Amino acid sequence: MNLKKIANDRDFQNARLIIYFILFISYIYIAYFSHFQCVGCPLCGMTRAVKSLLRIDFKSAFEFNMMVWIFCIMTPLIIVDIVVILKKYIINYKRSCKKWH
């Protein structure tokens, strides 16, 4: 099966959206609700690190969390993927509405 065909498969797109949602909910849980049992999760200091990056203070960003560069690369890629998938859904929805009218 062709890789492009797999990437455009509706089930695969739905699975990606579900995974992104689970990752988002997991981040919210780890960042805000697990401080009662935190033993040093990989996201500790990520909020402060991202704030430092937004102020263009790279040194303090890497001091807060060394994985901030992964977060800064993955977040835009995930957002673009979500927008592309939703755009395809909207186009398909509009096409299906035109068929019925």
Side-chain angles (χ1 to χ4, degrees):
M1 202 170 193
N2 189 343
L3 186 60
K4 188 174 182 177
K5 199 176 206 182
I6 293 172
N8 289 328
D9 183 35
R10 191 165 192 109
D11 291 335
F12 185 66
Q13 291 175 352
N14 289 338
R16 289 195 326 249
L17 288 175
I18 291 168
I19 289 170
Y20 296 150
F21 181 73
I22 290 170
L23 287 174
F24 177 71
I25 296 299
S26 300
Y27 172 74
I28 297 295
Y29 173 76
I30 290 171
Y32 298 105
F33 298 114
S34 69
H35 62 278
F36 302 111
Q37 62 215 14
C38 187
V39 292
C41 65
L43 296 175
C44 286
M46 189 62 78
T47 303
R48 292 173 286 170
V50 171
K51 285 181 183 179
S52 295
L53 277 179
L54 292 175
R55 288 183 299 217
I56 310 174
D57 185 8
F58 299 110
K59 184 177 182 256
S60 66
F62 285 108
E63 287 174 359
F64 285 126
N65 193 325
M66 290 296 293
M67 292 178 49
V68 71
W69 62 275
I70 295 173
F71 182 80
C72 291
I73 292 171
M74 293 304 295
T75 301
L77 292 175
I78 290 172
I79 290 172
V80 167
D81 192 32
I82 290 171
V83 168
V84 167
I85 291 171
L86 293 179
K87 185 177 177 184
K88 287 179 185 178
Y89 282 163
I90 291 170
I91 290 170
N92 288 336
Y93 177 74
K94 287 181 180 179
R95 285 182 187 161
S96 67
C97 287
K98 286 181 182 179
K99 288 180 184 177
W100 292 102
H101 291 281

